[in-house]
Amino acid sequence: MATRYLRRDEGLFTADSVARRVWAYPTSALLGFIRAVTIEHLDPDLTAAVDASGQVLQRPALRYDRTVQYFATVLFGDAESVIKSSDILMKVHARAHGPNPVTGGTFDSNDPDSQLWIHMTAWHSILYVYEKYGPGTLSRAEETEYWRECAVAAAMQPIHLENVPTSRGEVQKYFDDWRDRLAASEQAVYNIDFILDGMRTIFTALPAPMRAAFGPVIRAGVIATYPRWMRPLMGVRQSRLVDSLVTALIRPGMATLARSPRAQMWFLERVAPRGGPVLTGYIRGVPAESSSVYSPESARAKFGDPRPPLQQYADQLAARGLDTALTPYKRNHHEAPLEFVAPRAQAGSARGRARRPVRNHNRRHRRGRAELSWRETTSPLCCLYM
């Protein structure tokens, strides 16, 4: 008997969502999130926020797991779980603000620009590793749909939706515009190195021999996705030969893992025990109890705080100094985290599961190659890579 996790509805996306197919591929949890959270550190305000709480270094497994859980819930959760998790995230970030000792300014984790940077870096990185180490580049129509779905997910965070890139060209411009803003402090470089060594520092629930064997491969695999101009800024070096060798090694490994839902769930239970169960139903092909799909507006009106995230943020700013619930976290605090909504569990068998045809579409995609700058492209159909 295996635990089944139930969803009342399909949430914000249809069962055959392009984004769901991309995010459910095993490259996401093992490579994509590491790429995203390391590149994010090139925003000095994000690094200041991370350093102020100390949680990345103090509770790395929990921090990583909760990051996976939130993004997975938005993609795969039912509408109520999505909205309630969005409201929890707003409360978590409401206390992450303070002075930035590097820039002399201030950081605020709910700031719309910072939230968009985090959102776009995650969605871009997940697609990038999918195309580099997985089935290959998406078709033009699929890529267009992917970025449309990216904008839908952005509505769960305090982001000005008119600023969310929704096309290949807009994504390129967004990252080009950010390039002059990127900077790395000593703390950023230290954190990046710490996260790249995730098999030693984060994924401690995996068997030790597996961590020792896979650690150098995962690290090299993530570095191979960084554009070469970015690597010195992040404090990493790696030759083109190693890039090529690790790519040739990881691709078949990811393909093998993708063919085994049982193996994928075994990994997810250990690298993301909170986030893994959110993907279980999709990986097994188990449909939601209802095929209903909600818009962000209708889901919020029915299930959560009726105020959109930007309004919640404005109200938080007005209440700072008056509401003790908005007091900044202490460095290296040990407070219990506000928990995101966990999927409902029901004891049952995974046998006889329904299979979605979309699960087989991966075989038709062409392989893409890594790109070296935001401006380079592999073909007219592929995503623009950082």
Side-chain angles (χ1 to χ4, degrees), residues 102-184:
V102 174
T103 66
T106 60
F107 68 86
D108 186 334
S109 290
N110 268 335
D111 177 79
D113 286 344
S114 293
Q115 283 291 299
L116 182 57
W117 165 251
I118 293 169
H119 182 75
M120 292 306 302
T121 304
W123 276 73
H124 177 270
S125 292
I126 296 301
L127 178 58
Y128 180 76
V129 297
Y130 174 87
E131 294 189 329
K132 180 176 176 62
Y133 295 124
T137 56
L138 300 179
S139 70
R140 185 185 299 273
E142 288 171 329
E143 184 187 345
T144 298
E145 179 63 11
Y146 181 85
W147 294 119
R148 185 196 70 80
E149 292 173 330
C150 171
V152 171
M156 296 300 102
Q157 295 163 245
I159 292 171
H160 294 291
L161 299 183
E162 65 273 16
N163 294 337
V164 180
T166 57
S167 70
R168 181 174 177 270
E170 291 179 1
V171 171
Q172 175 187 11
K173 184 179 186 306
Y174 175 79
F175 286 119
D176 279 347
D177 290 345
W178 255 92
R179 182 166 177 175
D180 289 340
R181 300 169 61 181
L182 303 182

Side-chain angles (χ1 to χ4, degrees), residues 340-363:
F340 295 121
V341 178
R344 293 180 297 136
Q346 174 182 323
S349 172
R351 295 178 182 177
R353 62 184 181 274
R355 306 190 76 180
R356 292 189 174 93
V358 70
R359 300 295 291 162
N360 294 324
H361 288 182
N362 292 338
R363 299 176 184 174

Side-chain angles (χ1 to χ4, degrees), residues 12 27 68 85 96 131 153 189 195 210 266 307 317-318 347 374 379:
L12 304 183
T27 49
V68 173
S85 293
E131 294 189 329
V189 171
I195 296 167
M210 179 179 293
W266 184 90
R307 298 172 300 164
L317 290 177
W374 287 336
S379 75

Side-chain angles (χ1 to χ4, degrees), residues 159-269:
I159 292 171
H160 294 291
L161 299 183
E162 65 273 16
N163 294 337
V164 180
T166 57
S167 70
R168 181 174 177 270
E170 291 179 1
V171 171
Q172 175 187 11
K173 184 179 186 306
Y174 175 79
F175 286 119
D176 279 347
D177 290 345
W178 255 92
R179 182 166 177 175
D180 289 340
R181 300 169 61 181
L182 303 182
S185 63
E186 291 183 7
Q187 189 62 51
V189 171
Y190 184 90
N191 286 1
I192 288 168
D193 183 68
F194 182 87
I195 296 167
L196 283 172
D197 280 342
M199 281 293 175
R200 177 181 61 85
T201 60
I202 301 173
F203 308 134
T204 54
L206 290 172
M210 179 179 293
R211 292 163 55 205
F214 289 174
V217 177
I218 296 298
R219 180 185 176 94
V222 175
I223 293 174
T225 69
Y226 298 151
R228 304 201 72 82
W229 62 261
M230 185 183 286
R231 299 182 192 188
L233 192 62
M234 303 178 80
V236 297
R237 298 179 63 185
Q238 188 164 283
S239 69
R240 297 180 189 275
L241 176 60
V242 173
D243 288 355
S244 299
L245 291 175
V246 76
T247 300
L249 182 62
I250 290 176
R251 277 179 179 168
M254 290 295 106
T256 299
L257 187 57
R259 288 192 291 268
S260 174
R262 179 176 296 182
Q264 288 183 64
M265 289 185 289
W266 184 90
F267 265 100
L268 285 171
E269 287 174 359

Side-chain angles (χ1 to χ4, degrees), residues 13-33:
F13 303 98
T14 60
D16 61 350
S17 158
V18 174
R20 283 185 172 180
R21 168 157 47 91
V22 171
W23 282 69
Y25 201 76
T27 49
S28 294
L30 295 176
L31 294 157
F33 277 104

